[in-house]
Amino acid sequence: MKSRKWLVQVILIAAVLLSACGQTGGGGQEPVVLKVGWTGAPDTLNPAYAFLTESFTIFDLVYSALTTQAVSGEYVGNLAKEWTHSDDGLTWTFTLNDGITWHNGEPFTAADVAWTINAIIADPDGWAAVSNYTANFVEAAAPDDQTVVITLDTPVGNMEYRLSWIYIVYPPDFEVFTTPEDLQNFTNDTPTGTGPFKVTTFDKDLGVLVMDTYPDYFGGAAKIDQITFQTFDNSDAMVQALKVGDIDMVIDVPQSAFATVEGFENVKAVKTEGSYFSELIINSAPADFDPAPNKNPALDDPQVRLAMAYAINKQDLVDAVLQDLGVVGDTIVPPQLGGGFWHNPNVQDTPFDLTKANEVLEQAGYVAGADGVREKDGVRLEFRLQFPSDNPLYPRIADLLTAWFKEAGIKTTPESVDPDSLYVQMTPAGDFDLVIWGWGPDPDPDFILSVMTTDQFVDGGWSDSGYMNPEYDQLYLDQQVTVDRDARQAIIWEMQEMVFNDRPYIVFWYEDLLRAYRSDRFTGFIESPLGIEIYQSMLQVEPVQ
Amino acid sequence: MNRRDYLLRKIFFSLVTLAIVVVLNFVLFRVLPGDPVRAVIGRNVRISADTQQALREQFGLDRPVFPDQFLTALGQWSRGNLGVSWSLRKPVGEVLVAKLGNTLLLIGLGQVLSIILGVALGLLAGWKRKTAVDVGALTFSLIAWAIPTFWLGIILLAAGSTWLGLPTGGIVSPSNVGKPLYTVLPDVAHHLILPTLTLTILYMGEYMLIMRSSIMEVLGEDYILTAKAKGMSHWQVLRRHALKNAMLPIVTLIAINLGFTVSGAIYVETVFSYDGLGKMFQTALVKQDYPLLQGAFLLLAVSVILANMLADILYTYLDPRVKAA
């Protein structure tokens, strides 16, 4: 009789599964839901302590800052209607927009802005994610409900950019925290903001975030009712979900899948200029640095670096490795930043020329040995070529570089390394020769420029090349306090040229930004030079009739 | 040796194993290269060196591994406290319990189905040896056993979502998150179909192959011939004489598989974005979340040891020879 019981159970399970199969959507007045798929998830919804891009995507929709980046790349007002600064650049006065309310219906005032900014100034450890943006801030004040006055100790060159990252929080939500740890442990799963959407559910474990439209948004309510964000652990599954219509939009289409997605029916795949770049890092830590770098001393010879630059076919890398989803790169400030304003267009890229590479090394006294590898004074041009194991493109770059370098009499041995170990090996130990890696710069060039400064080559710092140039460091400080945009541009152009010529980095390419959406369901996405801009698009999109 | 002594001995060795695992569990993750703080914050974020140092202090990573960190960890574990996950900022115990539930639902369902189907198919194939049924079942099982998990999952995902409209991932639809479980049960079942099917196919092959060879061996024994000679029907022979003996290897296999069930089906969970232990293992490893990894490995070790102990105990009932040993 036992077997019968089993049978009954099997039938029951099957019945549950089958009844589920019959479940289909339906009904007349369904809310309009835009379903977004991504492979990441916000680390937290607490702006004090959120670091991942995904968190900031959500903050843009839920919170508001004084300023925001427009699709043109310029910074425009958001909470602030207009602003002025004193002649010395030390006092900034902002006038707020009218009719702003918090998601709970409470009125929003200038005092809330002042509270947030002062809280960050007072507790930079607690507000670790944004405290960089209030460097040089003395205090914020609210003389009346519509006016915010920010005082600085030195002028700040990128004030509008910095303020665009300072999301104004609802003070009652945050006042209760007295220590940095308490503040950081606050997950803020249902944030109270002033933005166009209000988070109703955030389940990090299930990878689900749901937000409803906030009807009283001061910029005008969105045309859809709800957005859901769903995390996929596997990008193939995400692409399949877009194909069958389980989701309506993919924020980052993997390069390997882009051509496939372009072929999907009813899906529009959009490719726009992006800012992520990959580069060859050449160990530039000075020999007398403490700790002493462990590298092939030939790397200190500018002629060896020049020869390597001649021996890299960047166009081939873009075509073959990046599958043409990007453009050849030269400086560390991609043209996408600030709508092209910050990129130095005068830098002449080193062309691919193996004959020239050989000539340069010949003239510098490097003679080919029996095995074809050049050497001078007993130092062979033989280098480690390492790359982090989490990027599928890097092994292919390494293979191509090795083949080209061989033609120039340079021997490189590719090696894949766990990214954390690789970082520890590089900064500040300097135990490497050549490394392939990449960056995703901020919209303002300040961050990517800071990566090359001397004081970032410390434990926990951002410099991985060990590049040290006092002149560059001084220019970095200068551009921070230069309020005049054109003057700041001139400094930043000079810095790019310096890095380009000294070659701590040889930048291969700037990657395209790849997004896709269901064009049979939604219309009104804003395709700008910044790609499909999410915050602006979510306000505009509406269902296809 | 009587059954009590046998069990006591088994329990003692299980405890010794557990103690070794606890120590290894601690050491294993500390010898990994890399810096957990960097792993938690990732690469493309702006966080100052000072803040990173503060994080290290908060996690207790600024102190020496031996004896400070080790003793702190031992003290915590002995009080049943598995610590707080660095990346999730939640108590490890709480995280594990939540994920364990999800994983048990998925793997449990997959195991039960594959055991029933696999054993039945193995029995049939062994009984109808060298017929078309046997060859067909054998071919299917060999393929199912050898097939890469990830590949099968992706194929079923593509086929199921295209032709049957089944969900492409998750446990429940985003709009149903946070609703009481009983109202979303059909939605959960809907999401379970593809991952369960994947697991069932994957495990089934193994059960079938073991069952087939086991039943064939038993059917060749003299006492089966005797039973047949006594005039018993095929079915009676199978049920009364063959099945119990043939089940022994299957019990071992089930015990081993159930133990590892807790580690989750990493691939299946990743393909279907299923929030279970396997997926958590992977994330914890990538993030070098020591407390979470240790908690998870402890849970895995305990369940494997328990499952083996259970198999040993079951053996004393199924196989008289074990008692006598």
Side-chain angles (χ1 to χ4, degrees):
Chain A
M1 292 317 272
K2 260 183 197 161
S3 60
R4 289 253 170 87
K5 266 189 200 160
W6 275 114
L7 195 67
V8 170
Q9 284 174 11
V10 172
I11 291 173
L12 275 177
I13 293 168
V16 170
L17 293 177
L18 282 176
S19 74
C21 284
Q23 292 276 321
T24 44
Q29 283 299 331
E30 293 271 311
V32 178
V33 182
L34 179 82
K35 290 172 278 183
V36 179
W38 56 11
T39 48
D43 45 349
T44 162
L45 296 185
N46 177 359
Y49 209 65
F51 295 103
L52 301 181
T53 314
E54 286 82 0
S55 294
F56 287 85
T57 302
I58 299 300
F59 293 155
D60 276 342
L61 296 166
V62 173
Y63 284 111
S64 316
L66 284 174
T67 59
T68 188
Q69 191 182 27
V71 287
S72 62
E74 301 271 326
Y75 285 87
V76 296
N78 189 9
L79 289 171
K81 186 160 55 183
E82 55 201 16
W83 58 93
T84 55
H85 62 80
S86 60
D87 290 340
D88 60 5
L90 294 180
T91 310
W92 291 65
T93 308
F94 297 83
T95 310
L96 301 184
N97 270 307
D98 302 310
I100 306 173
T101 51
W102 291 105
H103 288 161
N104 59 13
E106 294 287 317
F108 168 89
T109 69
D112 299 328
V113 180
W115 187 88
T116 305
I117 294 174
N118 288 329
I120 302 171
I121 297 171
D123 181 13
D125 278 346
W127 293 81
V130 286
S131 56
N132 281 359
Y133 301 117
T134 59
N136 314 107
F137 282 35
V138 178
E139 67 162 348
D144 63 59
D145 279 357
Q146 295 285 100
T147 313
V148 179
V149 178
I150 300 172
T151 334
L152 310 174
D153 57 16
T154 45
V156 167
N158 51 6
M159 191 72 177
E160 289 93 345
Y161 151 80
R162 288 209 205 173
L163 290 172
S164 75
W165 294 107
I166 301 177
Y167 300 99
I168 307 305
V169 299
Y170 186 57
D173 282 353
F174 286 80
E175 275 164 353
V176 290
F177 306 109
T178 49
T179 66
E181 286 76 25
D182 285 349
L183 176 59
Q184 292 170 1
N185 286 330
F186 176 45
T187 52
N188 197 26
D189 286 345
T190 50
T192 314
T194 50
F197 294 90
K198 185 179 172 175
V199 174
T200 54
T201 309
F202 175 42
D203 191 317
K204 204 173 160 182
D205 294 327
L206 293 179
V208 168
L209 189 148
V210 181
M211 47 173 73
D212 288 344
T213 290
Y214 176 51
D216 298 327
Y217 177 56
F218 67 94
K223 296 166 184 166
I224 48 175
D225 300 312
Q226 193 179 64
I227 310 175
T228 61
F229 289 85
Q230 188 182 356
T231 302
F232 287 83
D233 297 313
N234 162 359
S235 56
D236 294 325
M238 179 172 72
V239 167
Q240 176 68 17
L242 182 71
K243 185 184 178 189
V244 299
D246 252 13
I247 52 174
D248 304 309
M249 182 183 188
V250 169
I251 286 189
D252 266 308
V253 183
Q255 277 127 355
S256 55
F258 192 74
T260 316
V261 173
E262 274 184 312
F264 287 167
E265 253 177 81
N266 301 322
V267 169
K268 177 141 194 226
V270 182
K271 167 175 90 166
T272 36
E273 186 187 357
S275 64
Y276 276 62
F277 65 80
S278 290
E279 78 279 345
L280 179 70
I281 306 168
I282 302 177
N283 190 339
S284 305
D288 56 358
F289 185 72
D290 181 32
N294 173 21
K295 62 171 170 177
N296 184 326
L299 291 172
D300 288 335
D301 186 342
Q303 296 306 305
V304 171
R305 293 177 182 223
L306 178 64
M308 285 199 277
Y310 273 124
I312 298 174
N313 188 342
K314 295 181 182 178
Q315 191 59 55
D316 256 19
L317 289 179
V318 171
D319 293 345
V321 183
L322 203 53
Q323 297 170 36
D324 211 18
L325 299 169
V327 292
V328 163
D330 42 40
T331 85
I332 58 169
V333 178
Q336 194 255 11
L337 268 53
F341 187 76
W342 303 116
H343 177 77
N344 184 343
N346 304 323
V347 167
Q348 281 290 318
D349 201 8
T350 322
F352 174 61
D353 189 340
L354 286 172
T355 324
K356 204 74 191 259
N358 277 301
E359 260 174 46
V360 167
L361 289 176
E362 202 70 45
Q363 279 166 13
Y366 293 89
V367 185
D371 59 353
V373 180
R374 293 176 179 277
E375 64 170 271
K376 176 183 166 182
D377 307 331
V379 179
R380 278 161 61 86
L381 296 185
E382 190 174 348
F383 310 113
R384 289 169 284 171
L385 176 59
Q386 294 167 303
F387 49 87
S389 54
D390 60 351
N391 189 311
L393 305 181
Y394 292 167
R396 302 201 54 206
I397 301 181
D399 283 347
L400 288 169
L401 289 188
T402 301
W404 291 321
F405 286 167
K406 193 180 171 202
E407 304 270 320
I410 301 169
K411 184 179 175 188
T412 48
T413 321
E415 186 197 0
S416 173
V417 186
D418 159 71
D420 298 314
S421 318
L422 187 56
Y423 172 81
V424 171
Q425 190 192 321
M426 294 170 80
T427 309
D431 182 8
F432 69 101
D433 294 323
L434 305 171
V435 167
I436 300 167
W437 215 333
W439 284 105
D442 259 11
D444 185 87
D446 184 87
F447 172 70
I448 195 64
L449 293 171
S450 78
V451 164
M452 291 291 162
T453 53
T454 303
D455 58 11
Q456 286 294 326
F457 199 59
V458 291
D459 195 16
W462 290 117
S463 170
D464 43 16
S465 63
Y467 181 63
M468 289 175 201
N469 181 345
E471 217 180 319
Y472 179 92
D473 294 345
Q474 186 54 50
L475 288 174
Y476 175 71
L477 296 176
D478 291 348
Q479 64 84 27
Q480 282 193 317
V481 298
T482 305
V483 182
D484 181 74
R485 218 163 162 248
D486 293 328
R488 184 166 176 241
Q489 183 196 46
I491 302 174
I492 289 174
W493 282 15
E494 195 183 343
M495 294 171 78
Q496 288 169 65
E497 204 164 352
M498 228 173 230
V499 169
F500 180 83
N501 289 328
D502 292 343
R503 296 195 176 80
Y505 277 10
I506 297 176
V507 176
F508 302 134
W509 63 44
Y510 309 121
E511 287 174 24
D512 285 340
L513 188 63
L514 307 173
R515 296 196 159 140
Y517 65 91
R518 294 288 305 204
S519 50
D520 60 334
R521 294 213 190 137
F522 289 95
T523 174
F525 284 97
I526 296 176
E527 292 172 30
S528 75
L530 294 179
I532 294 178
E533 214 284 332
I534 297 176
Y535 160 70
Q536 308 275 354
S537 290
M538 293 305 175
L539 284 174
Q540 299 297 328
V541 288
E542 51 189 331
V544 170
Q545 292 306 317
Chain B
M1 192 191 286
N2 62 30
R3 181 177 280 163
R4 206 183 108 242
D5 286 349
Y6 171 79
L7 287 181
L8 281 178
R9 207 179 55 154
K10 285 286 169 195
I11 291 171
F12 173 74
F13 281 114
S14 297
L15 287 175
V16 171
T17 316
L18 193 63
I20 296 171
V21 164
V22 165
V23 177
L24 272 182
N25 198 8
F26 179 85
V27 177
L28 195 63
F29 299 112
R30 260 80 182 172
V31 298
L32 278 178
D35 176 356
V37 170
R38 296 296 295 198
V40 169
I41 63 168
R43 179 169 159 94
N44 284 319
V45 292
R46 305 152 294 268
I47 177 168
S48 68
D50 289 345
T51 310
Q52 290 177 42
Q53 187 52 35
L55 269 178
R56 258 175 221 115
E57 282 164 25
Q58 201 182 326
F59 295 165
L61 286 166
D62 54 329
R63 289 174 301 141
V65 173
F66 285 107
D68 294 39
Q69 289 188 37
F70 182 63
L71 290 180
T72 312
L74 271 190
Q76 277 186 347
W77 292 342
S78 65
R79 289 191 299 275
N81 175 3
L82 293 173
V84 174
S85 154
W86 298 338
S87 59
L88 298 171
R89 296 189 164 258
K90 273 191 202 166
V92 168
E94 202 179 285
V95 176
L96 289 181
V97 168
K99 312 273 174 189
L100 186 63
N102 292 344
T103 291
L104 285 182
L105 178 66
L106 172 62
I107 315 257
L109 211 55
Q111 282 283 0
V112 168
L113 286 175
S114 59
I115 290 169
I116 295 170
L117 296 174
V119 166
L121 200 62
L123 212 56
L124 190 68
W127 188 251
K128 305 266 178 196
R129 169 162 46 147
K130 289 181 180 161
T131 63
V133 176
D134 182 29
V135 174
L138 196 60
T139 314
F140 168 79
S141 301
L142 281 172
I143 292 174
W145 198 23
I147 219 165
T149 312
F150 199 81
W151 185 84
L152 179 66
I154 282 285
I155 295 294
L156 287 177
L157 186 144
S161 64
T162 308
W163 293 320
L164 300 174
L166 292 171
T168 40
I171 291 185
V172 61
S173 303
S175 51
N176 281 337
V177 171
K179 292 186 185 163
L181 185 65
Y182 63 91
T183 61
V184 298
L185 217 51
D187 189 35
V188 172
H190 205 193
H191 280 80
L192 268 172
I193 295 174
L194 286 177
T196 308
L197 184 63
T198 312
L199 278 175
T200 306
I201 294 177
L202 286 169
Y203 286 131
M204 219 178 115
E206 198 180 0
Y207 287 120
M208 183 273 168
L209 291 171
I210 301 282
M211 190 65 207
R212 178 179 173 274
S213 61
S214 171
I215 197 82
M216 273 162 54
E217 196 187 313
V218 171
L219 288 178
E221 297 280 346
D222 291 343
Y223 65 85
I224 298 289
L225 192 66
T226 314
K228 280 185 187 166
K230 281 196 292 186
M232 295 172 92
S233 72
H234 284 336
W235 179 240
Q236 279 174 322
V237 171
L238 200 60
R239 243 189 49 156
R240 294 212 191 139
H241 295 280
L243 201 55
K244 192 174 171 188
N245 286 327
M247 280 305 279
L248 278 176
I250 292 286
V251 170
T252 317
L253 188 63
I254 292 174
I256 291 172
N257 279 350
L258 284 184
F260 284 103
T261 288
V262 173
S263 75
I266 295 185
Y267 287 118
V268 173
E269 291 184 359
T270 306
V271 168
F272 293 97
S273 308
Y274 191 92
D275 176 43
L277 279 173
K279 204 186 103 183
M280 189 210 69
F281 260 105
Q282 195 205 8
T283 334
L285 200 60
V286 172
K287 297 254 176 217
Q288 297 198 8
D289 191 336
Y290 293 164
L292 193 54
L293 278 175
Q294 282 165 357
F297 268 69
L298 200 63
L299 179 68
L300 173 60
V302 168
S303 53
V304 170
I305 291 170
L306 270 182
N308 277 303
M309 222 168 77
L310 208 67
D312 286 336
I313 294 171
L314 267 179
Y315 260 46
T316 62
Y317 291 95
L318 288 174
D319 189 349
R321 284 170 300 184
V322 173
K323 240 183 300 178

